[in-house]
Amino acid sequence: MTSFQSTLGDEPGIAEELAESQQSISIAEFFEKNKHMLGFDSGARGLVTAVKEAVDNALDAAEEAGILPDIYVEIQEAGDYYRLIVEDNGPGLTKDSLPKVFGKLLYGSRFHAREQSRGQQGIGISAAVLYSQLTSGKPAKITSRTQGSSEAQYFELIVDTDANEPEISVEETTTWDRPHGTRIELEMEANMRARGQLHDYIKHTAVVNPHARLELREPQEHFKFERATDQLPEETEEIRPHPHGVELGTVMKMLAATDSQTVSGFVQEEFTRVGKKTADSIIDAFRDRHYGREMRWRPPTAHDDVDLAAAVEDATANKGPEATTAFADAIADAVADEDRIAHHELLEAVESAAEAVEAEHGTTFGDTVRENAVEAVWLALIDAAGADDDVVGEDGDSRLVADLYDLADDATSTRKDDETIHAFADRLAGKFEDLEDDRHRLTRATLREFVDRAADLTEEYDEVSFGETARENVVEAVWDVMATVPDEPPLVRELNGDRDATSDLVDAMRATDIMAPPTRCLSPISEDLITAGLEKEFDADFYASATRDAGVSGGDPFIVEAGIAYGGELPAEGTAEVMRFANRVPLVYQRGACATTDVVKTIGWRNYGLNQPGGSGLPNGPVVIMIHVASTNVPFTSESKDAIANVPEIEDEIELAIREAARELKSYLNKRRSMQKRRKKQNVLGKILPEMATKVAEVTGREEPDIDDAIARIMNNVLVERQTKANGDGQAISVVVENNSSTNESLEITDIVSAEPTNLSDSATVVEMDGEWFVKWEPEVGSDDEATLEYEVPDDATFDLDVKGVESEKLTVKQ
Amino acid sequence: MSADNDQQAREQLIDLAAQFYDQFELGEIPHMSVPTRTKNNIEYDEDKDVWVYGDRESTRSANSVRGARKLLKAVYTIEFLADQLEEDRSSTLRELYYLSESWDNEEAQFSDQDESNGLIEDLEIVSGVTREDFHMRPEESGATLMGPLHLREQTRRGEREIHCQKDVGEGGYQIPNNPDTIDFLDCDADFILAVETGGMRDRLVENGFDDEYNALLVHLKGQPARATRRITKRLHDELDLPVTVFTDGDPWSYRIYGSVAYGSIKSAHLSEYLATPEAQFIGIQPADIVEYDLPTDPLSDSDINALESELEDPRFQTDYWEEQIELQLDLGKKSEQQALASHGLDFVTETYLPERLTEMGVF
């Protein structure tokens, strides 16, 4: 720059010359040069991103219209290029909005809405169009038919990157076999190297959107993902911003736009979760920041030698001795009743004393008299009355020093000696005395300055340290006894344009405890549907899911959900598969940079019965872990929306959600292990005991004993046994359930009998079907207890017992 | 050794198997309870003057895989013993262990000899029949006896009359596995001197101690076998001979005395039959180490532990033993029998034993 400076005089036109080459850049141009920011950094990835953007849009559109999504994706080879076709059954787009949706970046309905949706910025699909025109030079071909219209609209368009506006080359009406929906066809330079990611994306989309039907046809393969439910995700509602999540600029804009007159009305109207009470708290917090608090001093005690009544009497003239005394006593009593009193509190006390005495004595106490009384008492309270050494405490200090000494002494560590504290209190009192505003009104920041100054002086002169914690503690203690002032907050129009006051308001809102934002703006998948989605796409033995309550991060509510699938056909080798989702959109790239992956890695999976080499990192084994973060504003690490940023509040919830699901997994695995053990024991004993029985029979020379009962006992099993006894023409049947386990068991027993049973026990029912009688009995049998079902049948009847409700490992049936 | 006796033993065993059979039939879990064989579960039987098992029982139950295996082995062992009794054969504990290898069922085979030994003990206790009556022998036969005793032994090759001084060599008379096959004919001995080590026994024989003092020398060979304890008991009971025990001066040797006098923990069910509560301890006492100024070795950690555990052993809870053990812990030293040789080879027979035996009132 120095070279320009030196030649400035010679060439006066240089600045103009430079200015000429400066011009604004359209957002489209910017992204043209920065494709990677949107996920179009390579041909392989570009194709996946384009599919993703188109499918996300299609799902959003259909859901918003209350239509169960039916989406078709096709990828064709087209010479040197690939052709991508995405069709949906959404509501379609109008002739006016369609070109802008596809041909203008940053055009969308959601950016300003606080509501959960897949797309947010309105960049995605138009960026795909832009990418396609850049690489293939061909326009996007879009067909859309709105519900009820007889014809469809057909457009061919590109993005005019200079203007960031759609440039339509063909516009015509056409026919289309779908009753409503949108079809987009893009040609682009691409390759199928990322087929794996593409399949993952479609499959994962199917998992978290069990209500959607998806079809993917690519040159080599064809997948169909059918619906698992007809239940659409719950509709979300837009919410007003939460006071904890807004910035100063936003509030200033809102102040300019609001219809409210008062601050209280403004915060109640424009923000969510703010009612009258919360508004009052916000305003109190605002007063503290904007006006400051007033110091409340201790009223004098008997030995203080301060006579407030006398001071009032001195200050009151011409009101008659009786009324004057009554007035003075009333004030002195009111002050003495308080633990501490601030200037505005004194004001009130004098007002009420004046009115009371007026009513009793008929003497009028005018404004001047009242003001004089307030001044006299206040000056006495803060030791500023009359000459300097007139009224002093016993040890020659002002009352303020003694008061502050006590506060500081309580607030600081016991290691500081009295001398130090005293010196500090003396200096701090000095700051109060020097205040111009003798009401002793100051903000916390000013109080902090006072304390710092007093502490610095104490450190300097008394050569002791007065550290940060001690200072903060003193500020806290003093601020605590100070009183919020009753001043009316400014009106909205006064605030509007007052940056400092608005900033105080924003601070006040942040400092106030406010209930978390409502969650109707969010649409979690729900535990049942997560399980359904996992069951649909993974053939596992066990599924668990957890949906957490909503949390808040930066004013945006969010919900975390987790699901786990284990065993079955999942590959037992290698690490667990982690599926990440944000607002129901699968995250395919940048797994390592994602908060979800970080959390999964920090969990000690060994505690949950999984194999985790080294005790950290991803667990090994046949496991799929899915995590869904739903928020009105998911914090991504970049515009391409591949990874969730490490926000502590969200990370905590992710961890809790995973742990919740993992606990279920643990109890499943434990149970499975104990069943395995039981099976093993049963296998070994099943071999040993019969051999022992045979040997015993051999040694004793008897028949082989019946060992089933003994085995059932040993295995703590539930034994269901039929006993038959001849009974006249027929036979009496009893089915005995013997519960040898340590828990109560509920059984469902069905005995299929070939002849009609009679004299059936009360607790059972019988149904006839095609000449067979189904005796149904559902006993509850306590630990070490027995239950019996009895009935009678003719001699020639046959039976078939079917027992449910007890694990097969625990069951012995004898019939 | 009568056939009757064998038949009875066999029936007892088969009854045990029948017990398992009945448990199966009743739908019960097969099980067998035996007294817990630890030092915490032995108590003094005032009537019989010996230490017997207390009330604590361990149950071997088919409830667990381990328990079921144990019972299966028990049944196989019962079959083997019953067959053995029927055929009038006998075998050693070690043979039983190896023999199990030939059983058709692998689950029934013993994994080590401790297991088979333990099982035989279990069966002894539960059936009330001694091992000898099962025809089970230990590997090493009983020890030897030397002294003025004339006896008759029933052997498989007929009756033999033997004088334990005149008819035997320097090695002495070999005590048979089942001493109940012996009849005592004539005895000139005044007392029994049971000696722990072979070296000391040979010294006493060489010095002619048995001859000179009319002593019946019983060689204990370390922890005495059942046969040794049994014959000692019979000699005491039937011939009214006082019994004295002469061992090393260390905790392990006190236990040898303990098992002669009070019975051992593992065979407390047979105490009445094996123990000689009147047996007296000669030494080496810790007090002797001081009195005779014997050469010593320091106590090792395991010696100290053993002494401390003896202080808690109900068999040693007498004033005499507490005093001696505490003295030894104070000294921190132990001495062997042979240490007496530091005063000359004849010191033990000419000085130590006569002095101790007089002190003890044996003569």
Side-chain angles (χ1 to χ4, degrees):
Chain A
M1 292 307 278
T2 42
S3 59
F4 289 126
Q5 295 270 332
S6 61
T7 57
L8 261 181
D10 309 331
E11 288 180 62
I14 188 76
E16 286 76 8
E17 208 173 291
L18 284 171
E20 242 167 66
S21 62
Q22 293 182 333
Q23 52 175 304
S24 71
I25 310 157
S26 104
I27 179 72
E29 272 181 309
F30 176 77
F31 281 122
E32 184 180 348
K33 291 209 169 134
N34 293 289
K35 298 190 287 282
H36 60 279
M37 292 176 72
L38 302 175
F40 291 96
D41 37 5
S42 69
R45 178 135 188 232
L47 190 59
V48 178
T49 308
V51 169
K52 183 173 148 147
E53 296 297 351
V55 171
D56 289 352
N57 265 20
L59 286 168
D60 268 344
E63 278 170 22
E64 236 167 66
I67 301 166
L68 286 168
D70 188 346
I71 293 162
Y72 175 77
V73 181
E74 184 170 350
I75 296 164
Q76 299 171 345
E77 280 168 14
D80 295 339
Y81 303 113
Y82 276 91
R83 184 180 299 126
L84 165 66
I85 298 162
V86 178
E87 276 184 33
D88 67 51
N89 63 337
L93 287 157
T94 62
K95 206 173 150 183
D96 299 334
S97 67
L98 186 145
K100 288 193 171 172
V101 167
F102 292 95
K104 184 175 166 74
L105 271 76
L106 290 178
Y107 181 85
S109 55
R110 318 186 174 282
F111 185 64
H112 298 282
R114 276 173 195 268
E115 185 180 6
Q116 175 188 338
S117 58
R118 294 181 178 81
Q120 272 163 353
Q121 291 104 323
I123 293 180
I125 191 63
S126 38
V129 171
L130 182 63
Y131 180 70
S132 126
Q133 82 193 38
L134 283 172
T135 55
S136 73
K138 297 206 177 152
K141 297 171 185 169
I142 299 147
T143 312
S144 185
R145 181 168 168 187
T146 52
Q147 204 153 7
S149 67
S150 55
E151 287 180 320
Q153 296 290 326
Y154 177 76
F155 286 91
E156 286 188 15
L157 57 80
I158 60 167
V159 180
D160 174 354
T161 50
D162 294 339
N164 185 22
E165 285 295 334
E167 195 178 305
I168 301 163
S169 49
V170 177
E171 178 177 2
E172 56 190 39
T173 52
T174 179
T175 54
W176 194 25
D177 51 0
R178 286 213 188 221
H180 51 85
T182 306
R183 176 183 199 274
I184 178 167
E185 191 180 322
L186 298 171
E187 250 177 71
M188 59 181 76
E189 201 174 77
N191 61 61
M192 291 294 284
R193 274 199 291 274
R195 282 178 79 216
Q197 278 93 338
L198 181 66
H199 295 172
D200 278 355
Y201 167 74
I202 296 283
K203 183 173 183 175
H204 295 181
T205 304
V207 171
V208 281
N209 296 287
H211 60 286
R213 188 185 168 279
L214 297 172
E215 192 172 342
L216 168 67
R217 185 187 289 277
E218 47 116 327
Q220 286 164 44
E221 277 177 276
H222 185 194
F223 301 97
K224 278 185 188 170
F225 299 92
E226 297 298 336
R227 285 192 186 99
T229 174
D230 284 341
Q231 190 190 331
L232 270 169
E234 244 173 80
E235 259 184 74
T236 56
E237 266 175 51
E238 208 183 318
I239 57 160
R240 289 167 291 169
H242 190 270
H244 285 176
V246 287
E247 262 116 36
L248 175 58
T250 318
V251 176
M252 288 170 80
K253 261 166 76 185
M254 290 166 81
L255 280 168
T258 186
D259 293 332
S260 303
Q261 302 289 316
T262 61
V263 171
S264 174
F266 170 71
V267 290
Q268 289 182 60
E269 283 300 310
E270 303 294 329
F271 293 92
T272 184
R273 291 294 195 223
V274 181
K276 179 82 183 79
K277 244 182 111 179
T278 311
D280 286 348
S281 309
I282 292 177
I283 287 169
D284 274 349
F286 171 76
R287 285 189 181 112
D288 287 349
R289 281 162 183 75
H290 193 64
Y291 301 113
R293 286 184 181 178
E294 279 180 4
M295 183 62 192
R296 302 164 84 207
W297 298 107
R298 282 193 305 226
T301 49
H303 67 267
D304 262 352
D305 197 21
V306 177
D307 190 346
L308 293 180
V312 175
E313 283 184 41
D314 288 350
T316 312
N318 305 327
K319 295 296 168 195
E322 267 178 45
T324 304
T325 308
F327 180 54
D329 287 348
I331 293 172
D333 288 349
V335 172
D337 280 350
E338 301 284 339
D339 277 346
R340 292 178 167 277
I341 190 157
H343 187 269
H344 70 264
E345 288 166 340
L346 173 63
L347 215 60
E348 262 176 57
V350 170
E351 294 292 324
S352 59
E355 260 139 56
V357 176
E358 269 178 14
E360 204 177 310
H361 295 271
T363 325
T364 315
F365 286 84
D367 283 352
T368 324
V369 181
R370 295 182 188 190
E371 272 163 30
N372 286 344
V374 168
E375 199 188 336
V377 174
W378 185 249
L379 290 180
L381 278 173
I382 63 171
D383 253 6
D388 282 357
D389 32 24
D390 242 13
V391 198
V392 287
E394 279 162 25
D395 43 4
D397 288 326
S398 85
R399 297 191 49 252
L400 304 195
V401 176
D403 201 341
L404 290 171
Y405 171 84
D406 287 349
L407 286 171
D409 196 33
D410 282 349
T412 53
S413 79
T414 48
R415 270 175 310 173
K416 291 205 167 36
D417 59 41
D418 284 355
E419 291 285 306
T420 313
I421 301 290
H422 188 269
F424 168 77
D426 195 24
R427 294 191 174 100
L428 187 56
K431 300 300 288 183
F432 274 99
E433 279 156 13
D434 292 348
L435 261 180
E436 238 172 81
D437 183 352
D438 65 8
R439 292 175 299 173
H440 290 178
R441 180 182 277 209
L442 64 164
T443 62
R444 190 171 171 134
T446 317
L447 174 62
R448 176 68 207 232
E449 272 171 37
F450 285 6
V451 169
D452 276 346
R453 182 78 189 130
D456 286 346
L457 288 172
T458 309
E459 280 188 334
E460 196 181 327
Y461 290 111
D462 298 274
E463 284 173 2
V464 292
S465 75
F466 209 101
E468 185 57 29
T469 321
R471 293 174 189 209
E472 190 50 47
N473 286 345
V474 172
V475 170
E476 190 69 43
V478 177
W479 185 251
D480 263 0
V481 302
M482 290 174 76
T484 300
V485 297
D487 298 33
E488 276 305 310
L491 293 174
V492 165
R493 67 182 141 77
E494 292 164 335
L495 264 182
N496 189 8
D498 183 345
R499 192 206 150 274
D500 290 346
T502 309
S503 167
D504 288 337
L505 179 62
V506 173
D507 289 348
M509 291 198 299
R510 294 223 175 113
T512 310
D513 279 338
I514 299 170
M515 210 203 286
T519 53
R520 26 174 225 282
C521 55
L522 296 178
S523 166
I525 301 169
S526 86
E527 291 181 6
D528 290 349
L529 288 183
I530 289 176
T531 307
L534 287 170
E535 277 172 357
K536 187 161 74 93
E537 299 309 327
F538 296 98
D539 190 0
D541 288 339
F542 169 79
Y543 306 89
S545 54
T547 297
R548 299 281 309 161
D549 288 341
V552 193
S553 163
D556 283 302
F558 68 93
I559 288 183
V560 177
E561 300 177 283
I564 293 180
Y566 181 89
E569 297 296 307
L570 298 175
E573 306 297 315
T575 54
E577 182 178 346
V578 178
M579 294 195 291
R580 305 170 288 134
F581 300 92
N583 288 352
R584 292 182 186 244
V585 178
L587 308 180
V588 179
Y589 286 96
Q590 293 192 27
R591 193 178 80 169
C594 191
T596 54
T597 318
D598 292 348
V599 172
V600 172
K601 285 181 178 169
T602 54
I603 288 175
W605 285 99
R606 287 174 179 176
N607 293 336
Y608 298 103
L610 291 183
N611 189 1
Q612 190 180 29
S616 71
L618 291 177
N620 281 352
V623 197
V624 173
I625 300 163
M626 90 147 245
I627 298 138
H628 177 222
V629 177
S631 172
T632 49
N633 182 18
V634 177
F636 287 110
T637 54
S638 72
E639 285 77 5
S640 60
K641 302 199 275 182
D642 289 313
I644 297 172
N646 296 69
V647 177
E649 296 95 326
I650 296 183
E651 283 187 318
D652 288 351
E653 282 293 312
I654 292 174
E655 183 174 342
L656 292 171
I658 297 176
R659 285 191 188 277
E660 211 174 305
R663 274 196 292 279
E664 280 180 52
L665 173 66
K666 180 185 184 176
S667 69
Y668 164 78
L669 289 176
N670 282 348
K671 191 158 187 189
R672 202 175 72 151
R673 249 165 234 146
S674 91
M675 280 299 156
Q676 264 169 359
K677 239 168 122 184
R678 175 190 284 273
R679 238 189 328 262
K680 210 173 135 201
K681 180 176 170 188
Q682 207 152 14
N683 285 345
V684 178
L685 289 181
K687 194 165 155 261
I688 292 179
L689 292 180
E691 288 167 351
M692 180 175 165
T694 312
K695 229 354 151 203
V696 170
E698 240 175 85
V699 173
T700 53
R702 302 191 215 169
E703 297 262 312
E704 261 192 53
D706 174 7
I707 61 172
D708 285 0
D709 285 13
I711 287 191
R713 283 241 167 100
I714 291 167
M715 295 315 301
N716 301 324
N717 270 2
V718 178
L719 177 71
V720 181
E721 188 176 9
R722 182 203 311 286
Q723 290 159 357
T724 315
K725 236 190 276 168
N727 177 17
D729 295 344
Q731 40 188 343
I733 308 296
S734 44
V735 177
V736 182
V737 178
E738 190 184 301
N739 182 6
N740 296 303
S741 76
S742 51
T743 51
N744 289 356
E745 299 287 352
S746 314
L747 295 94
E748 292 167 38
I749 296 178
T750 313
D751 201 1
I752 307 169
V753 193
S754 65
E756 183 168 8
T758 51
N759 288 339
L760 196 68
S761 307
D762 290 342
S763 51
T765 56
V766 64
V767 180
E768 198 230 315
M769 260 167 79
D770 300 333
E772 285 182 318
W773 281 262
F774 290 73
V775 180
K776 285 215 162 226
W777 181 44
E778 298 184 359
E780 273 259 359
V781 190
S783 175
D784 281 329
D785 214 350
E786 267 191 16
T788 310
L789 164 74
E790 286 176 325
Y791 60 89
E792 288 169 22
V793 282
D795 255 340
D796 52 351
T798 60
F799 318 94
D800 188 17
L801 258 183
D802 178 51
V803 182
K804 287 201 183 102
V806 181
E807 290 96 339
S808 60
E809 285 88 348
K810 275 177 85 175
L811 184 66
T812 311
V813 179
K814 271 170 66 185
Q815 53 177 332
Chain B
M1 253 306 228
S2 64
D4 256 8
N5 205 2
D6 288 356
Q7 190 54 35
Q8 204 184 342
R10 189 168 175 275
E11 270 166 27
Q12 303 267 41
L13 284 169
I14 289 172
D15 278 354
L16 202 56
Q19 194 183 318
F20 294 140
Y21 186 99
D22 295 342
Q23 287 166 348
F24 270 128
E25 275 288 291
L26 289 170
E28 283 174 15
I29 302 171
H31 63 274
M32 162 172 109
S33 293
V34 292
T36 308
R37 296 199 289 274
T38 63
K39 82 174 175 210
N40 296 324
N41 191 38
I42 56 172
E43 46 190 50
Y44 192 67
D45 183 328
E46 307 233 346
D47 295 340
K48 297 175 182 141
D49 227 14
V50 290
W51 291 89
V52 295
Y53 290 126
D55 297 333
R56 300 233 308 261
E57 291 199 325
S58 314
T59 302
R60 318 266 187 263
S61 157
N63 213 347
S64 66
V65 170
R66 250 177 64 135
R69 282 208 181 99
K70 259 194 176 140
L71 291 188
L72 181 70
K73 289 170 191 180
V75 178
Y76 268 79
T77 309
I78 288 172
E79 189 192 32
F80 163 75
L81 293 174
D83 289 352
Q84 168 173 294
L85 285 168
E86 199 164 50
E87 294 163 17
D88 195 18
R89 303 285 302 266
S90 61
S91 53
T92 67
L93 289 168
R94 193 154 189 79
E95 279 170 337
L96 170 64
Y97 165 57
Y98 284 121
L99 200 113
S100 75
E101 299 268 329
S102 72
W103 291 344
D104 54 359
N105 193 330
E106 270 187 36
E107 297 281 2
Q109 295 172 2
F110 295 111
S111 51
D112 55 43
Q113 205 192 326
D114 284 346
E115 195 184 2
S116 55
N117 289 357
L119 180 60
I120 291 292
E121 278 167 20
D122 280 354
L123 292 179
E124 268 188 317
I125 297 171
V126 177
S127 66
V129 180
T130 63
R131 186 171 76 196
E132 287 75 12
D133 289 337
F134 292 154
H135 294 193
M136 289 304 296
R137 297 192 304 264
E139 273 61 60
E140 295 183 22
S141 47
T144 59
L145 197 147
M146 175 75 114
L149 171 71
H150 193 216
L151 53 77
R152 179 169 54 231
E153 181 186 340
Q154 308 261 357
T155 71
R156 282 178 187 272
R157 298 191 179 91
E159 290 184 353
R160 301 285 148 91
E161 286 189 14
I162 299 164
H163 191 279
C164 299
Q165 237 166 4
K166 295 172 186 150
D167 297 341
V168 297
E170 293 238 315
Y173 166 70
Q174 181 80 32
I175 302 168
N177 191 37
N178 188 350
D180 288 351
T181 59
I182 296 173
D183 290 322
F184 302 124
L185 299 177
D186 187 26
C187 176
D188 293 326
D190 292 333
F191 68 100
I192 296 168
L193 180 66
V195 187
E196 175 183 355
T197 63
M200 181 51 69
R201 176 207 167 265
D202 292 348
R203 163 66 41 217
L204 298 184
V205 172
E206 188 185 318
N207 290 8
F209 186 81
D210 53 327
D211 229 8
E212 198 173 332
Y213 290 95
N214 282 336
L216 201 52
L217 299 181
V218 175
H219 180 201
L220 296 173
K221 274 188 159 176
Q223 263 296 346
R226 281 186 184 188
T228 315
R229 281 146 61 198
R230 175 65 186 151
I231 201 163
T232 308
K233 165 90 174 158
R234 281 193 63 203
L235 287 166
H236 172 266
D237 286 2
E238 292 171 30
L239 304 177
D240 207 16
L241 297 177
V243 177
T244 60
V245 181
F246 182 28
T247 69
D248 287 339
D250 62 43
W252 317 102
S253 303
Y254 307 152
R255 289 182 188 182
I256 291 171
Y257 162 76
S259 72
V260 171
Y262 310 123
S264 66
I265 291 171
K266 282 188 133 195
S267 60
H269 56 294
L270 299 169
S271 287
E272 202 188 333
Y273 171 85
L274 297 177
T276 314
E278 297 81 1
Q280 288 172 283
F281 185 66
I282 297 176
I284 306 289
Q285 312 174 89
D288 297 338
I289 297 176
V290 185
E291 195 167 330
Y292 296 98
D293 190 22
L294 299 175
T296 57
D297 286 319
L299 289 178
S300 69
D301 287 348
S302 61
D303 290 335
I304 292 170
N305 285 341
L307 284 170
E308 275 165 0
S309 117
E310 274 161 15
L311 281 175
E312 286 161 25
D313 190 325
R315 295 177 299 171
F316 287 97
Q317 276 165 5
T318 62
D319 290 346
Y320 170 77
W321 279 111
E322 274 167 24
E323 192 187 313
Q324 293 298 332
I325 292 170
E326 268 158 21
L327 172 63
Q328 183 152 34
L329 283 170
D330 281 350
L331 291 173
K333 285 172 182 158
K334 59 182 180 185
S335 266
E336 291 181 7
Q337 291 179 312
Q338 277 80 354
L340 293 165
S342 64
H343 299 294
L345 290 179
D346 295 335
F347 179 75
V348 60
T349 44
E350 285 175 8
T351 314
Y352 179 75
L353 285 176
E355 277 183 20
R356 280 290 296 138
L357 290 169
T358 313
E359 222 173 284
M360 287 156 63
V362 178
F363 53 76

